[in-house]
Amino acid sequence: MHSMTEWLLDRWETMALVRRTEETIADLIESGEARGPCHLAIGQEAVAAGVCAAIEPEDTVWGGHRSHGHYLAKGGSLEALLAEILGKTTGCSGGRGGSMHLIAREQGILGTVPIVAATVPLAVGAAMKYKMRSEACAAVAFFGDGAIEEGPVHESMNLAALYRLPVIFVCENNLYSSHLHASERRVADNLDRAGDFHSIPSERVDGNDVHAVYEVALRAVERARAGKGPGFLECRTFRWRGHVGASADVDVGVRRRGELTEWLAKDPLLRVESELIENGVRDLADRRKSLEARLARALAAARQASEPDGARAADHVWQEAGCGR
Ligand SMILES: Cc1ncc(C[n+]2csc(CCOP(=O)(O)OP(=O)(O)O)c2C)c(N)n1
Ligand SMILES: [Mg+2]
């Protein structure tokens, strides 16, 4: 098989995994089995898949409240994700965090946290460590267009630019922050210029085109590794579901209803599938079947896992005096 087709098949595997996992999570929300808030990124899969393909296993990623895709694309365990969402002890955060608190240290997923913009400075901190210790790693901060409205993103960009840190700022511009459209929050559609003020090279890319995302991410990562400092990517995309939960939020306004129809036609996964079929790949149905079997196994294991012990709810809350100082 042509190596480009193999590369694209890998991206398909990641994007289909993210899509079907999130659709499964949507079912768990609707049935009431998943009780904590879940934010789905269905429709945005090419950003996680493209960026994570451009980095190495030892690089780190950081995310926010909508990070199932980042976690899976970087190699986080599917079973530990579903178990976390179901609040089980085998979850990646021991069942204490739920959908919005994902971590997998071994895979370089050092934290997804729902305080908007909060992990961006942490990614910069990691990049500072790489630089100080001359480690050839890069850190990736995934955040939304709403996060740009928070101070820590700008402070982080300034520091990263000043010290030429190996960090990539990946802004997933899905046009909405909760229920507010970008045009209700900003005077201009200019997030691609967010890095200008700090002399950080910034690029706008079609976030539904996995090839395009990969290419800009790779350029930024190569620059960062060469000691040339951070990069900023604005990935234009759209979430098909609502801000939180399984619904599509089309009742939020006429605008969103029209936009959704428009964006459904730009399905990033379907684009990859069409290209694979054009390139002669004929076994997508078999691959889909294996994916369903994998998902069913992971969900069954998560369901069977034990619930955390209520008597230990305060574990990890307090730092014992004298420890870790
Ligand atoms: C500091 C902070 N302010 C407000 C919120 C409430 N909140 C949660 S998600 C969200 C919207 C974030 O929008 P964006 O960054 O574009 O990410 P998206 O939801 O579109 O992926 C807000 C305002 C929060 N969690 N943290
Ligand atoms: Mg947004």
Side-chain angles (χ1 to χ4, degrees):
M1 196 184 290
H2 192 276
S3 62
M4 173 51 91
T5 307
E6 268 171 34
W7 181 89
L8 199 57
L9 257 177
D10 280 350
R11 303 292 76 72
W12 180 85
E13 295 277 356
T14 301
M15 289 167 67
L17 170 68
V18 174
R19 171 76 55 92
R20 286 295 302 129
T21 301
E22 290 213 304
E23 286 172 346
T24 303
I25 295 168
D27 293 342
L28 296 172
I29 298 166
E30 277 175 339
S31 70
E33 198 177 342
R35 284 164 304 195
C38 296
H39 302 73
L40 304 174
I42 297 174
Q44 303 186 192
E45 297 88 350
V47 179
V51 171
C52 289
I55 58 178
E56 300 298 324
E58 60 275 18
D59 295 331
T60 51
V61 305
W62 310 75
H65 55 288
R66 199 180 302 287
S67 276
H68 304 148
H70 310 139
Y71 170 95
L72 289 172
K74 186 68 170 61
S77 148
L78 171 61
E79 192 182 317
L81 171 65
L82 293 174
E84 189 56 42
I85 285 169
L86 295 182
K88 300 300 186 77
T89 50
T90 53
C92 58
S93 295
R96 292 160 178 274
S99 156
M100 298 190 287
H101 297 88
L102 308 177
I103 188 160
R105 286 199 186 96
E106 309 246 300
Q107 281 72 34
I109 303 146
L110 291 195
T112 74
V113 174
I115 308 301
V116 170
T119 55
V120 178
L122 301 183
V124 171
M128 177 78 91
K129 176 208 161 215
Y130 302 148
K131 174 146 188 177
M132 288 172 77
R133 297 194 184 168
S134 302
E135 292 174 25
C137 291
V140 173
F142 286 106
F143 53 92
D145 48 303
I148 288 273
E149 290 148 24
E150 301 284 341
V153 173
H154 301 277
E155 296 168 44
S156 298
M157 285 202 278
N158 180 52
L159 196 75
L162 185 64
Y163 291 108
R164 293 180 173 256
L165 302 181
V167 55
I168 321 301
F169 299 99
V170 180
C171 177
E172 286 184 73
N173 185 0
N174 59 14
L175 310 179
Y176 280 85
S177 174
S178 299
H179 303 105
L180 281 182
H181 189 267
S183 59
E184 297 169 279
R185 302 166 4 237
R186 299 187 61 81
V187 288
D189 179 2
N190 60 358
L191 291 191
D192 57 325
R193 300 189 53 203
D196 286 5
F197 186 61
H198 306 286
S199 305
I200 296 178
S202 308
E203 300 209 51
R204 170 174 284 177
V205 66
D206 175 354
N208 283 18
D209 177 348
V210 74
H211 294 284
V213 173
Y214 172 74
E215 274 162 32
V216 292
L218 194 62
R219 266 205 296 278
V221 172
E222 282 173 353
R223 250 192 341 256
R225 280 198 216 290
K228 294 183 178 161
F232 180 96
L233 312 178
E234 184 209 359
C235 305
R236 305 281 286 204
T237 185
F238 199 74
R239 60 167 158 73
W240 294 2
R241 302 289 180 124
H243 168 61
V244 60
S247 82
D249 272 4
V250 281
D251 51 343
V252 164
V254 177
R255 172 202 285 279
R256 196 171 148 83
R257 192 182 299 273
E259 273 175 334
L260 181 58
T261 312
E262 209 179 285
W263 282 90
L264 284 171
K266 301 182 196 170
D267 182 344
L269 181 59
L270 209 59
R271 276 159 87 163
V272 172
E273 288 180 3
S274 310
E275 198 180 329
L276 286 171
I277 291 164
E278 255 170 51
N279 291 353
V281 173
R282 297 279 170 267
D283 64 348
L284 285 181
D286 292 341
R287 287 172 188 269
R288 276 194 205 100
K289 239 188 239 163
S290 321
L291 172 57
E292 292 309 315
R294 183 178 164 203
L295 254 171
R297 275 195 307 274
L299 184 56
R303 281 178 166 145
Q304 274 161 23
S306 58
E307 304 268 350
D309 176 0
R312 305 193 61 181
D315 284 8
H316 314 299
V317 172
W318 305 106
Q319 170 83 46
E320 293 300 328
C323 292
R325 295 188 175 215

